[in-house]
Amino acid sequence: MTNKGQILRLLNYKNLLKHLQTLGFKKVFSDNISDTLEISSSLVRKDFGNFGITGNRKGGYDIDSILAKIDEILGKDEIQKVIVVGTGRIGQALMNYQGFIKEGIQIVAGFDNDFSKVSEGEDIPILHLDKLPEFVKEKNIKIAIMCVPQLVAKHTLDMLANSGVGGVLNFTPIKFQSSNEVTVNNINIVHELENLIYIVNKQKTT
Amino acid sequence: MTNKGQILRLLNYKNLLKHLQTLGFKKVFSDNISDTLEISSSLVRKDFGNFGITGNRKGGYDIDSILAKIDEILGKDEIQKVIVVGTGRIGQALMNYQGFIKEGIQIVAGFDNDFSKVSEGEDIPILHLDKLPEFVKEKNIKIAIMCVPQLVAKHTLDMLANSGVGGVLNFTPIKFQSSNEVTVNNINIVHELENLIYIVNKQKTT
DNA sequence: ATGTTAATGTTAGTTATTTCACATATTTAT
DNA sequence: ATAAATATGTGAAATAACTAACATTAACAT
Ligand SMILES: NC(=O)c1ccc[n+]([C@@H]2O[C@H](COP(=O)([O-])OP(=O)(O)OC[C@H]3O[C@@H](n4cnc5c(N)ncnc54)[C@H](O)[C@@H]3O)[C@@H](O)[C@H]2O)c1
Ligand SMILES: NC(=O)c1ccc[n+]([C@@H]2O[C@H](COP(=O)([O-])OP(=O)(O)OC[C@H]3O[C@@H](n4cnc5c(N)ncnc54)[C@H](O)[C@@H]3O)[C@@H](O)[C@H]2O)c1
């Protein structure tokens, strides 16, 4: 019933609705949403139906209650604690990104094997890798963002899984499969670019 | 015939095959590939068929020729010049990333509206935003990576499109639709994380 | 030479995802 | 009250994506 891209779609609904909310709108129709997101209005209604979001046969949907419901579905009642493993260029960019906290995601620490990167006193401390397993267990961390060099990616993933992390957002170019212990979502920026380049070049020749 | 995720799958094949190549393998069977990527072997064969990659009824596929063919499909004969717009945390991480060039992607310049970020002398210069349109036209830039604050994202995208850029990889949280002039691929890291969190939390309760 | 085996290439079938279409409910107008 | 209008909610239909199955072909063994 609930399918692969549906949560990502729900997040898009959320963004749009929050925007409409700031513009002062109180209610919304399925085809307002579908128009801007370029999907069909029936898909919007079906998604809403699947998640128990309900509207009024004429008056459309109440924005406040959709948003409340989406947050409920996503489990936004508690702040999600996340760690960053590998505090190089991209790891640090993510650690310092201000966009997470307003979505209820808190980066609580970074980890690196390079002692020169360690700085325990900071707002968001960078700790040595050795302290990771204990930290994860003690603070009950479930989610990690992995930004280590690809050579150590497999080893790092195993370590995270063994420490009790249940989900890893993987920025290394190696595509990992999810296992029973750990769900891996891969972001391959190079591939995204190559894909884009392909589309653009293709259009040129058509 | 050619469907949405197919190019991304082709890139995954490429990565795997290059790996096998370094291990000394000369040929490969469709189910070697399908096993590690957790898809069916018939999908591999179908993809190959669609792209004119052909094997031998017994001996499988020749790795070198698949790789050559994939590069041909992707148009890897010439280096792709790419610019980065918005050279903040994530923009600079991308600008300095060493992983692009070996895939034939060259970051040729960054652009920012903050004069204190401008540094024209560097290996990869950071130029002021004002110079972007001219630069894009002169150097025939087709692809841009957009890492500006979300407030200026729409304006920046319009400017890129007007300057002649045909494809934008968008890191801002605003989801843009592609138009006739410009193809936009959106990477929303927050959404990827939220999606992962949802999956992990869901599993816990099941 | 002939049979056996092992892989591709391709068609048919299955599953997943999205859209269509319309009955149903609710508001608004008369 | 009744009718008209309008948007939801939902089963059926369509489309897209993937997999199973197998006929075909090439290599190898006997
Ligand atoms: N920078 C980018 O724009 C970019 C883009 C796409 C993918 N990536 C991928 O992200 C990863 C990180 O890239 P980067 O550019 O930030 O590299 P980087 O070299 O700047 O950072 C890597 C960090 O990992 C640390 N590290 C090394 N071994 C470690 C270990 N065993 N455990 C923990 N930390 C360890 C290093 O000390 C360093 O701080 C790479 O796999 C890269 O391919 C980066
Ligand atoms: N940092 C991350 O980890 C991260 C993660 C996900 C998404 N993003 C998104 O990426 C974008 C950039 O994030 P960041 O953390 O690098 O922010 P940042 O503030 O570090 O960098 C933004 C840069 O854009 C420049 N800029 C401002 N206006 C500009 C304009 N009109 N034209 C060109 N440049 C301009 C600024 O001078 C600055 O250098 C944001 O939209 C953010 O939401 C960032």
Side-chain angles (χ1 to χ4, degrees):
Chain A
M1 187 201 88
T2 162
N3 70 358
K4 230 177 158 197
Q6 213 164 18
I7 293 294
L8 290 173
R9 220 156 43 225
L10 216 58
L11 292 164
N12 286 329
Y13 299 156
K14 182 179 170 179
N15 281 7
L16 172 58
L17 293 172
K18 274 166 64 172
H19 181 66
L20 292 176
Q21 206 177 39
T22 64
L23 296 178
F25 288 94
K26 292 288 175 216
K27 57 183 185 176
V28 71
F29 305 119
S30 57
D31 58 344
N32 300 148
I33 299 175
S34 66
D35 283 351
T36 42
L37 298 181
E38 292 193 336
I39 53 179
S40 74
S41 62
S42 46
L43 182 54
V44 174
R45 293 197 297 277
K46 184 151 278 189
D47 281 341
F48 283 1
N50 286 158
F51 286 116
I53 293 168
T54 156
N56 308 306
R57 290 274 169 166
K58 199 157 179 191
Y61 299 88
D62 177 63
I63 293 180
D64 289 353
S65 35
I66 308 178
L67 285 172
K69 191 81 192 181
I70 291 180
D71 277 351
E72 187 191 318
I73 294 160
L74 299 173
K76 289 289 165 141
D77 42 313
E78 50 184 303
I79 289 181
Q80 290 290 338
K81 289 168 290 179
V82 174
I83 59 171
V84 171
V85 188
T87 60
R89 281 177 296 249
I90 193 133
Q92 273 177 27
L94 292 166
M95 278 185 72
N96 297 311
Y97 181 48
Q98 301 305 308
F100 288 128
I101 193 66
K102 65 170 163 288
E103 300 304 332
I105 295 166
Q106 187 188 4
I107 310 285
V108 291
F111 291 89
D112 208 291
N113 75 335
D114 178 351
F115 282 101
S116 76
K117 300 240 160 120
V118 170
S119 60
E120 312 211 358
E122 299 297 310
D123 197 22
I124 305 175
I126 297 179
L127 308 176
H128 191 267
L129 192 66
D130 293 343
K131 301 200 172 158
L132 191 148
E134 195 191 323
F135 188 96
V136 164
K137 274 163 206 141
E138 218 154 72
K139 308 244 171 172
N140 193 31
I141 304 294
K142 289 282 157 254
I143 307 286
I145 304 176
M146 184 162 80
C147 308
V148 299
Q150 70 164 302
L151 269 170
V152 299
K154 172 141 186 39
H155 175 256
T156 303
L157 181 60
D158 290 345
M159 193 187 102
L160 287 167
N162 290 336
S163 305
V165 167
V168 172
L169 190 62
N170 169 38
F171 277 88
T172 80
I174 300 174
K175 182 176 174 150
F176 292 105
Q177 307 297 331
S178 296
S179 65
N180 283 0
E181 303 96 52
V182 64
T183 302
V184 184
N185 280 12
N186 303 290
I187 297 186
N188 191 320
I189 295 172
V190 176
H191 283 190
E192 296 295 333
L193 244 191
E194 290 185 279
N195 189 31
L196 177 65
I197 290 167
Y198 176 82
I199 297 168
V200 172
N201 283 345
K202 174 122 289 188
Q203 281 171 343
K204 203 173 52 189
T205 53
T206 328
Chain B
M1 184 200 90
T2 163
N3 69 358
K4 231 177 156 196
Q6 213 164 17
I7 293 294
L8 291 173
R9 220 158 42 229
L10 216 58
L11 292 163
N12 286 328
Y13 299 156
K14 181 177 170 180
N15 281 8
L16 172 58
L17 293 172
K18 274 165 66 170
H19 181 67
L20 292 176
Q21 205 178 40
T22 64
L23 297 177
F25 288 94
K26 293 285 175 220
K27 58 182 184 176
V28 70
F29 304 120
S30 57
D31 57 345
N32 301 147
I33 298 174
S34 66
D35 283 351
T36 42
L37 297 181
E38 292 192 333
I39 53 177
S40 73
S41 62
S42 43
L43 182 54
V44 174
R45 293 197 296 278
K46 179 159 279 189
D47 283 340
F48 284 3
N50 286 160
F51 286 116
I53 294 169
T54 157
N56 309 306
R57 289 274 168 162
K58 204 157 179 192
Y61 299 88
D62 177 62
I63 292 180
D64 288 354
S65 34
I66 307 177
L67 285 172
K69 191 83 192 180
I70 291 180
D71 278 351
E72 186 191 318
I73 294 160
L74 298 173
K76 290 288 166 142
D77 43 312
E78 51 184 303
I79 288 181
Q80 290 289 339
K81 289 168 290 180
V82 173
I83 59 171
V84 171
V85 188
T87 61
R89 282 177 296 248
I90 194 132
Q92 271 177 29
L94 292 166
M95 278 185 73
N96 297 311
Y97 181 48
Q98 300 305 307
F100 288 127
I101 193 67
K102 65 170 165 289
E103 300 304 332
I105 295 166
Q106 185 188 6
I107 310 284
V108 291
F111 290 89
D112 208 290
N113 74 336
D114 178 352
F115 282 101
S116 77
K117 300 242 159 118
V118 170
S119 59
E120 312 212 357
E122 300 296 309
D123 197 19
I124 304 174
I126 296 179
L127 308 176
H128 190 268
L129 192 65
D130 293 344
K131 300 200 173 158
L132 191 148
E134 195 191 324
F135 187 97
V136 164
K137 274 164 205 140
E138 217 154 73
K139 308 243 172 172
N140 193 31
I141 304 293
K142 290 279 157 255
I143 307 287
I145 304 176
M146 184 162 80
C147 308
V148 298
Q150 70 165 301
L151 269 170
V152 299
K154 169 134 189 45
H155 176 256
T156 304
L157 181 59
D158 290 345
M159 191 187 105
L160 287 167
N162 290 337
S163 305
V165 167
V168 172
L169 190 61
N170 169 37
F171 278 88
T172 79
I174 300 173
K175 181 174 174 155
F176 292 105
Q177 307 297 332
S178 296
S179 65
N180 283 2
E181 303 96 52
V182 63
T183 303
V184 184
N185 280 12
N186 303 290
I187 297 186
N188 191 319
I189 294 172
V190 175
H191 283 189
E192 296 294 334
L193 244 190
E194 290 186 279
N195 189 31
L196 178 65
I197 290 168
Y198 175 83
I199 297 168
V200 172
N201 284 345
K202 175 121 288 189
Q203 280 171 343
K204 204 172 52 188
T205 53
T206 331

